[in-house]
Structure formats: C-alpha cells, structure tokens
C-alpha cells in the first residue's frame, strides 16, 4: 500500500502491518487477556446513533475546543504513548510536528523515546507529560520539575497501570524491551528486514526521561522490570493530592472510570480527567470509556474537564463523545499505525482525514460549533 491510498484507520493498520515485524505490530495492536475490552471500545460507538438537524445554514463550522486551559483547533488530541521510535525512527518528533501543524495537543510519555525538551521545541501546540508514579518520591519531584522547566502545560498522571496487563500476544513472540525474542519472534523480524535496517542505521534507541534508570542495552532494567520494580502499587489519593499541589497547574488523571473516582479527582484539585481503560491493555472486561461517559459528565462535568479515549476510529465517534459532554477526545492507535506506516506524513494524513471527517459530520449534523452538539442528537440501541 501507498500512503495516499489510506482513507481510514483500517487502511493505516493494514499498511503498518505490512511494514512492521510481527512482534512490534502486535505490541501496538494487542491488548490484555481475551482482548474483549479492546473490541468493546469501538463497538460502544456503534451502539449509538446520530440524529441530525437539517436546514440550519451550516456553511462553516468551528471545530475548536478549550480543555484544561488549552485552546485546540480540533476536538481531538494525540494521547501520549510509549516507545514511539520503536515504530518509526522519528517517533515523538513526528507526532509533535503533526500536532503542531493541526493546532492540537500531544503528549510525551515517561517511557517516551524523545526528550520532553526536544518535543517542546518542535511543536507550538500544548504539550502533555504522561507520568508514572514511582516508589522514589525524589524521582517524581525531579521529573515534575523537569517538565515544568521544559514548558509542559499539562501534567497527566496515569492511574490504571500500577502493574502491567496480561498481553498474551507479546508472550507468544517473547516481545520485550530490551529485545528478548523467542524463535517465533526472531523469524518474524527476519521477514521484515527493512525495519531492522532502519532501526540500526538511526540513533540509539533510548528513554530520555528515564536515563540512568532503564538501560536499553539490558544492563540496568528492562521495561517489564520498570513496571514491577520502580512503579508504586501503593499509590494513594493522598499521594496524588500532594502531586497536584506541587505541580500547581493543569493536572489530569488518566484512567478514571468510576463516578466516585471522578469526584475525588475534582475534590483534590485536578483540572481534568481522561476516562480510559488504556486501550484494553490493562484490565480486560472493563467497561468502555464511551459507555461510562454520560454518568461521569453528569456527576462532575461542571467541576472538571472530562475527556475520554479508547476505540476512536472515525470523526463520527468523536462527535458522539462530544455530544455526551466530553471536552476533547484522545487518539492512540489511530495515529500510531500511520506513524509506523509512514512517519510524520502518515500522522499528518491521519489527522487531516480526521479533521475532514469531523467537519463533514458537523455540517451533516447541522452544528456550527462543538457546543451545539447535544445529547438530543443521540439515540442508543
């Protein structure tokens, strides 16, 4: 496939599968246990119908939103994800540049492969730092101070990953960072030599946010041991409240799924929450964020900015979430597959397709602004 032949999420996924060795493709594509939640995330949108208004004189639409104090030209943003230079050598550089071009927000992960500081220089758009909570409180403070000095606008603490999910596709190939492949995994790399050539002819793979803590040469600590040994499963609401006070700015919790937790996030001073089940990669059998959205917006939407991610593949999916009260919608695999397939041009094409789909759908819905999307425009099967 060629990039200009890609018209939707499934085309980008197909192109990425052609380019990537099987273990890496399955790392992006896979989820936990039976992958029930992964499938349910998109199916949830399909159980909801749009009810358009007509004859509303919609010649132009304004797709912009303001979330956590950040003005976005689009109601979607690129959620922070780990290990992006494993998929394409430009990694977060490509995503930052594409997000900046489209005037939207992007994120860099604690497990990002480009530094916060470099990413900040690439994009003029708002930047999120996706943070994992470590047992070493001094490391937590140092990482927050570094993010603030780099000019990061939003701190996003992931709260659903105190231990890694059971991702059986990775177990079957032996996928790990640093690489510890079994024979099946090695064979899958062998049939995609272009990826290997690309990987070894560019700069060394590293995790700049964790230099000195995780060694990609295999010496200090692997990614799996990072989750087991360095992250703190005893993280509590008191710990998070202290972080919110120390950060002193826009602070978001990613991985909230219950009304009670949403209320507690608002109580301790968070300015945003992301309803998320980590793309189905953590707790299989958990509810989809879209299915949970209405009750959480009803409970706390007047106190805190509510966002969601998971399973978003179309502009109409975004409109449905906005109509239920989401302030913005996060994209994950939607931009990772085009990143893997074609680098920055792939991410830009994906965002342009999403922009066009949202604009077209808003016109067909008879809505000139995002605020005009209301629950009366939805019916559930």
């Amino acid at each position: 496939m060629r990039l200009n032949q890609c018209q939707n999420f499934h085309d980008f996924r197909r192109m990425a599968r052609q380019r990537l060795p099987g273990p890496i493709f399955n790392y992006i594509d896979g989820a936990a246990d039976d992958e029930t939640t992964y499938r349910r995330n998109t199916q949830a949108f399909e159980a909801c119908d749009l009810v358009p208004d007509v004859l509303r004189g919609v010649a132009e639409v304004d797709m912009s939103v303001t979330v956590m104090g950040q003005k976005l030209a689009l109601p979607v943003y690129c959620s922070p994800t780990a290990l992006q230079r494993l998929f394409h050598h430009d990694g977060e550089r490509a995503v930052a540049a594409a997000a900046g071009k489209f005037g939207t927000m992007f994120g860099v992960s604690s497990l990002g492969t480009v530094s916060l500081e470099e990413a900040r220089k690439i994009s003029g758009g708002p930047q999120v730092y996706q943070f994992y909570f470590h047992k070493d409180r001094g490391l937590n403070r140092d990482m927050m101070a570094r993010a603030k000095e780099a000019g990061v606008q939003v701190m996003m603490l992931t709260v659903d990953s105190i231990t890694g999910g059971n991702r059986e596709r990775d177990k079957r190939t032996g996928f790990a960072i640093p690489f510890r492949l079994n024979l099946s995994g090695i064979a899958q790399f062998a049939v995609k030599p272009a990826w290997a050539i690309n990987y070894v002819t560019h700069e060394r793979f590293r995790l700049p946010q964790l230099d000195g803590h995780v060694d990609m040469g295999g010496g200090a600590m692997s990614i799996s041991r990072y989750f087991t040994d360095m992250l703190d499963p005893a993280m509590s609401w008191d710990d998070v409240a202290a972080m919110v006070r120390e950060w002193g700015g826009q602070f978001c919790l990613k991985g909230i799924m219950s009304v009670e937790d949403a209320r507690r996030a608002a109580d301790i001073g968070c300015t945003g929450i992301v309803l998320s089940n980590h793309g189905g990669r953590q707790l299989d059998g958990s509810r989809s964020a879209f299915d949970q959205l209405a009750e959480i917006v009803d409970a706390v939407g007047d106190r805190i900015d509510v966002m969601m991610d998971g399973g978003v593949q179309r502009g109409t999916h975004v409109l449905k979430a906005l109509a239920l009260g989401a302030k913005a919608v996060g994209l994950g695999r939607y931009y990772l597959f085009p990143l893997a397939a074609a680098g920055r041009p792939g991410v830009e094409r994906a965002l342009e397709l999403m922009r066009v789909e949202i604009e077209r759908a808003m016109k067909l819905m008879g809505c000139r602004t995002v605020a005009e999307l209301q629950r009366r425009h939805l019916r559930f099967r």
Side-chain angles (χ1 to χ4, degrees), residues 189-211:
F189 272 77
V191 299
K192 299 290 175 66
W195 180 92
I197 293 169
N198 184 284
Y199 182 80
V200 300
T201 56
H202 288 84
E203 67 200 84
R204 181 175 63 88
F205 186 86
R206 51 189 285 265
L207 301 174
Q209 277 64 252
L210 291 169
D211 279 344

Side-chain angles (χ1 to χ4, degrees), residues 180-322:
R180 295 286 189 275
L181 298 170
N182 58 29
L183 288 176
S184 172
I186 292 171
Q188 292 180 60
F189 272 77
V191 299
K192 299 290 175 66
W195 180 92
I197 293 169
N198 184 284
Y199 182 80
V200 300
T201 56
H202 288 84
E203 67 200 84
R204 181 175 63 88
F205 186 86
R206 51 189 285 265
L207 301 174
Q209 277 64 252
L210 291 169
D211 279 344
H213 300 282
V214 178
D215 182 3
M216 292 299 92
M221 182 176 292
S222 68
I223 293 295
S224 60
R225 282 190 57 213
Y226 167 77
F227 278 92
T228 302
D229 295 354
M230 290 188 66
L231 301 191
D232 191 352
M235 176 175 57
S236 70
W237 283 102
D238 289 340
D239 293 320
V240 177
M243 284 187 69
V244 172
R245 291 191 298 270
E246 187 165 348
W247 178 252
Q250 300 289 339
F251 199 106
C252 174
L253 298 186
K254 181 178 183 292
I256 296 293
M257 287 295 288
S258 73
V259 167
E260 180 181 1
D261 285 347
R263 287 182 173 137
R264 294 195 73 170
D267 289 343
I268 65 171
C270 293
T271 56
I273 54 174
V274 180
L275 310 192
S276 175
N277 54 40
H278 218 97
R281 295 165 71 79
Q282 288 296 98
L283 177 65
D284 196 33
S286 65
R287 191 162 166 83
S288 79
F290 180 70
D291 283 335
Q292 199 68 347
L293 180 58
E295 65 181 85
I296 290 182
V297 168
D298 288 344
V300 300
D302 59 341
R303 301 174 60 198
I304 194 169
D305 285 349
V306 179
M307 296 156 281
M308 66 140 290
D309 65 29
V312 178
Q313 298 178 3
R314 285 288 189 184
T316 49
H317 295 169
V318 174
L319 263 60
K320 291 172 183 179
L322 296 173

Side-chain angles (χ1 to χ4, degrees), residues 124-187:
Q127 181 174 335
V128 169
Y129 181 31
Q130 180 262 325
F131 190 88
Y132 287 113
F133 191 82
H134 301 89
K135 295 175 183 176
D136 184 343
R137 301 301 197 267
L139 175 60
N140 291 336
R141 288 191 294 271
D142 289 346
M143 294 177 81
M144 283 200 296
R146 177 178 174 179
K148 187 169 292 186
E149 186 175 347
V152 170
Q153 290 92 340
V154 179
M155 180 63 67
M156 181 180 283
L157 177 65
T158 296
V159 293
D160 64 355
S161 300
I162 58 172
T163 188
N166 179 37
R167 301 171 193 175
E168 293 178 357
R169 292 204 216 181
D170 295 344
K171 291 181 176 180
R172 292 189 186 100
T173 62
F175 176 84
I177 299 294
F179 290 132
R180 295 286 189 275
L181 298 170
N182 58 29
L183 288 176
S184 172
I186 292 171

